[in-house]
């Protein structure tokens, strides 16, 4: 029996993933759902997610706000920068697919995908690779845009050091068959002076057109609503 407001747990790669389910009054999972993915190092109960879930419920729409695992068991709250990073940007695409399969098993065939910030890019990436009839519409809220010059300039501005020597070092370790090699005292995403695996660093900083959401939007076949802010 599914409650109107509860935490759902799924097993994945030896960790438990969680999501907050909020059913609108009188609705069941079979009546349609908005599957929501948060932004960088965030979680399914951060302010924008809970606010949207409440507003959706007020308007007779149910939602499932997932918390990306980032290789932590039952992760909650914002990512603790003292914990070494071994996650990858594309992990989210696999996790969205897991939740889609869970919804399908519950008898759901009507999903609106929603993503915020980096989660917007991951949502669009998932949809571009999974032309599922379950996906009816897509909502992207300030989705990630990207070009490599901006990435390098932002890294220099934020951390007063050049990105490319670090990226080249990380890439070399991956090519040597050492993807899990730790880069200690490294500035990574929002975490200053943290530890990150070579593979993880490459995943978030490599030059890949799919990290630029407008590139992905052109490939989508379903109706897409994009909020730019």
């Amino acid at each position: 029996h599914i409650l109107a407001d509860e935490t759902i747990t799924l097993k994945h790669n030896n960790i438990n993933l969680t999501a907050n389910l909020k059913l609108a009054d009188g609705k069941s999972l079979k009546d349609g759902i908005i599957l929501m993915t948060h932004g960088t190092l965030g979680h399914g109960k951060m302010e924008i997610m809970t606010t949207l879930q409440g507003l959706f419920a007020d308007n007779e729409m149910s939602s499932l706000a997932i918390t990306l695992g980032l290789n932590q068991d039952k992760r909650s709250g914002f990512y603790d920068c003292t914990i070494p990073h071994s996650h990858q940007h594309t992990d989210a695409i696999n996790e969205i697919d897991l939740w889609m399969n869970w919804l399908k098993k519950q008898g759901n065939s009507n999903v609106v995908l929603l993503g915020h910030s980096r989660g917007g890019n991951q949502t669009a990436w998932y949809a571009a690779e999974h032309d599922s009839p379950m996906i009816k519409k897509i909502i992207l809220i300030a989705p990630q845009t990207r070009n490599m010059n901006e990435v390098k300039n932002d890294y220099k501005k934020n951390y007063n050091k050049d990105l490319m020597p670090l990226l080249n070092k990380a890439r070399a370790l991956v090519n040597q068959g050492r993807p899990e090699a730790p880069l200690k005292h490294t500035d990574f995403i929002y975490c200053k002076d943290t530890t990150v695996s070579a593979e993880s660093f490459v995943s978030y900083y490599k030059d890949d057109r799919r990290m630029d959401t407008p590139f992905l939007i052109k490939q989508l076949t379903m109706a897409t609503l994009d909020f730019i802010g």
Side-chain angles (χ1 to χ4, degrees):
H1 177 67
I2 300 289
L3 300 176
D5 197 342
E6 70 168 307
T7 299
I8 307 296
T9 303
L10 281 186
K11 191 82 172 178
H12 175 56
N13 289 349
N14 298 318
I15 65 170
N16 290 288
L17 302 174
T18 63
N20 188 56
L21 175 67
K22 193 170 189 67
L23 293 178
D25 287 345
K27 299 286 186 177
S28 75
L29 275 170
K30 295 180 180 180
D31 296 318
I33 201 91
I34 301 170
L35 180 60
M36 304 165 63
T37 304
H38 59 75
T40 308
L41 303 185
H43 57 96
K45 291 188 176 181
M46 59 191 296
E47 184 179 6
I48 185 171
M49 296 287 115
T50 55
T51 299
L52 285 172
Q53 282 200 287
L55 291 169
F56 287 144
D58 290 345
N59 286 275
E60 301 182 353
M61 292 179 281
S62 302
S63 58
L64 182 71
I66 69 175
T67 293
L68 298 174
L70 306 183
N71 283 347
Q72 294 180 40
D73 187 50
K74 293 184 179 178
R75 193 176 72 82
S76 63
F78 287 94
Y79 195 96
D80 180 352
C81 288
T82 64
I83 298 172
H85 299 262
S86 60
H87 50 89
Q88 298 187 54
H89 175 82
T90 49
D91 290 346
I93 297 161
N94 295 328
E95 292 183 23
I96 292 170
D97 194 46
L98 281 171
W99 288 109
M100 287 288 287
N101 287 330
W102 180 80
L103 287 168
K104 186 176 182 179
K105 288 176 183 175
Q106 309 307 310
N108 187 290
S109 60
N110 183 350
V111 179
V112 174
L113 292 179
L114 180 150
H116 172 238
S117 191
R118 183 181 295 277
N121 174 262
Q122 292 159 329
T123 295
W125 194 327
Y126 173 82
E129 292 189 351
H130 298 79
D131 191 16
S132 167
M134 285 178 66
I135 305 171
K136 303 306 181 186
K137 297 176 183 178
I138 300 173
I139 302 170
L140 306 177
I141 303 171
Q144 170 182 289
T145 58
R146 174 189 175 101
N147 73 62
M148 204 58 195
N149 284 333
E150 287 181 2
V151 172
K152 290 187 280 190
N153 290 339
D154 287 345
Y155 196 90
K156 180 76 170 181
K157 179 181 176 182
N158 293 334
Y159 297 118
N160 198 30
K161 61 185 69 169
D162 291 328
L163 170 66
M164 291 314 296
L166 285 165
L167 182 55
N168 290 335
K169 177 183 177 181
R171 192 179 283 125
L173 287 166
V174 171
N175 291 339
Q176 292 164 18
R178 301 172 60 199
E180 297 176 2
L183 303 174
K184 297 182 179 179
H185 304 295
T186 300
D187 301 320
F188 175 66
I189 318 180
Y190 297 152
C191 293
K192 187 172 177 62
D193 191 20
T194 190
T195 298
V196 54
S197 73
E199 186 176 48
S200 184
F201 196 90
V202 171
S203 172
Y204 282 87
Y205 286 110
K206 67 182 177 181
D207 190 5
D208 188 327
R209 291 187 71 185
R210 293 170 295 182
M211 303 277 270
D212 184 45
T213 308
F215 171 75
L216 293 171
I217 289 175
K218 295 173 187 175
Q219 304 173 38
L220 300 178
T221 58
M222 54 289 287
T224 303
L225 178 61
D226 189 0
F227 293 92
I228 300 173

